[in-house]
Amino acid sequence: DIQMTQSPSSLSASVGDRVTIACQASQDITIYLNWYQQKPGKAPKLLIFDASDLETGVPSRFSGSGSGTDFTLTISSLQPEDIATYHCQQYGSLPLSFGGGTKVEIK
Amino acid sequence: QGQLVQSVAEVKKAGASVKVSCRASGYTFNTYGINWVRQAPRQGLEWMGWISVYNGNTNYTQKFQGRVTMTTDTSTSTASMELRNLRSDDTAVYFCAKGGSHSPYDVFDLWGQGTMVTVSS
């Protein structure tokens, strides 16, 4: 099974800051990596698929990069509405698996 | 874009079974798969398995093999997940999520609102 490791588990940043979240897979998953945003008490929402493709309607301040085992989600300018937990998920191999999540808070 | 509406919260005793339903609308139900994902309190997301609405094929994680059954009813555009022999550590929010294609190897591009299942001993 493929293990997904996210870092950090939480972070605090100011409005307007650039925020970066890392996700590492235990095996090569090429670009089969998605990112989800989950606000408190809500279901996750797809942000980025295939490592770097922005889902329709997602603000352009969100971007994804990486391939193989190392991936990054970047928020170029943090906004108050971005307060959420972010999850990476691999679909290169069954069973599908998620990272542990990164909670983003405003400083 | 579509919508997935799940059944209401459940409280069950340890050893019992629970069945969570997920009604789809706004897209062609039998063209995509349905995944089930759960989230224990203050924990991350855990994929439980997938079912093809088209042909009923399933893929369950080993952890739930023998305890879970996923089904679909195309006449009502509803997917269901039954979990048996409940334990206290099955207390979680259970989500259904539409796959992006007919394959389990894909995104989860539409999610239900979640169903809280509480297991008491």
Side-chain angles (χ1 to χ4, degrees):
Chain A
D1 296 2
I2 295 178
Q3 311 303 318
M4 306 298 293
T5 304
Q6 277 184 246
S7 60
S9 56
S10 66
L11 66 89
S12 182
S14 300
V15 172
D17 281 355
R18 183 181 184 87
V19 169
T20 299
I21 298 168
C23 178
Q24 184 171 63
S26 61
Q27 300 173 35
D28 187 342
I29 55 170
T30 62
I31 62 166
Y32 299 134
L33 188 284
N34 305 316
W35 289 97
Y36 300 86
Q37 176 192 64
Q38 185 179 27
K39 296 188 177 180
K42 299 294 185 182
K45 169 191 166 186
L46 178 65
L47 287 181
I48 288 170
F49 61 96
D50 291 348
S52 61
D53 289 342
L54 205 63
E55 174 72 343
T56 302
V58 173
S60 59
R61 64 180 178 273
F62 291 93
S63 64
S65 64
S67 66
T69 60
D70 294 296
F71 302 86
T72 300
L73 173 69
T74 299
I75 308 172
S76 60
S77 176
L78 186 68
Q79 300 301 304
E81 60 266 33
D82 300 335
I83 299 314
T85 298
Y86 293 85
H87 307 272
C88 62
Q89 175 245 329
Q90 67 82 19
Y91 65 102
S93 174
L94 295 179
L96 308 184
S97 51
F98 291 89
T102 297
K103 186 174 184 180
V104 174
E105 298 175 318
I106 296 286
K107 193 181 294 182
Chain B
Q1 178 71 354
Q3 189 177 17
L4 297 173
V5 178
Q6 296 184 223
S7 49
V8 298
E10 302 260 16
V11 179
K12 296 290 184 180
K13 294 282 192 185
S17 299
V18 69
K19 192 169 187 177
V20 179
S21 67
C22 169
R23 189 180 78 250
S25 62
Y27 72 93
T28 305
F29 184 58
N30 62 5
T31 304
Y32 303 93
I34 292 286
N35 296 270
W36 289 90
V37 175
R38 76 177 188 180
Q39 187 171 35
R42 295 169 299 283
Q43 299 297 311
L45 299 168
E46 179 178 29
W47 185 71
M48 300 177 67
W50 164 91
I51 182 167
S52 166
V53 178
Y54 176 71
N55 59 18
N57 285 351
T58 56
N59 188 288
Y60 305 144
T61 64
Q62 188 170 7
K63 177 176 179 177
F64 297 104
Q65 284 277 2
R67 275 209 307 146
V68 72
T69 301
M70 297 176 188
T71 57
T72 62
D73 181 345
T74 54
S75 68
T76 60
S77 298
T78 300
S80 298
M81 184 281 300
E82 181 182 38
L83 188 61
R84 299 178 292 279
N85 193 20
L86 290 167
R87 308 185 288 252
S88 57
D89 62 358
D90 290 320
T91 294
V93 177
Y94 289 76
F95 295 101
C96 59
K98 169 184 165 289
S101 69
H102 63 278
S103 166
Y105 299 92
D106 214 317
V107 301
F108 307 150
D109 61 5
L110 181 66
W111 293 68
Q113 82 277 17
T115 297
M116 182 71 212
V117 175
T118 303
V119 182
S120 63
S121 52

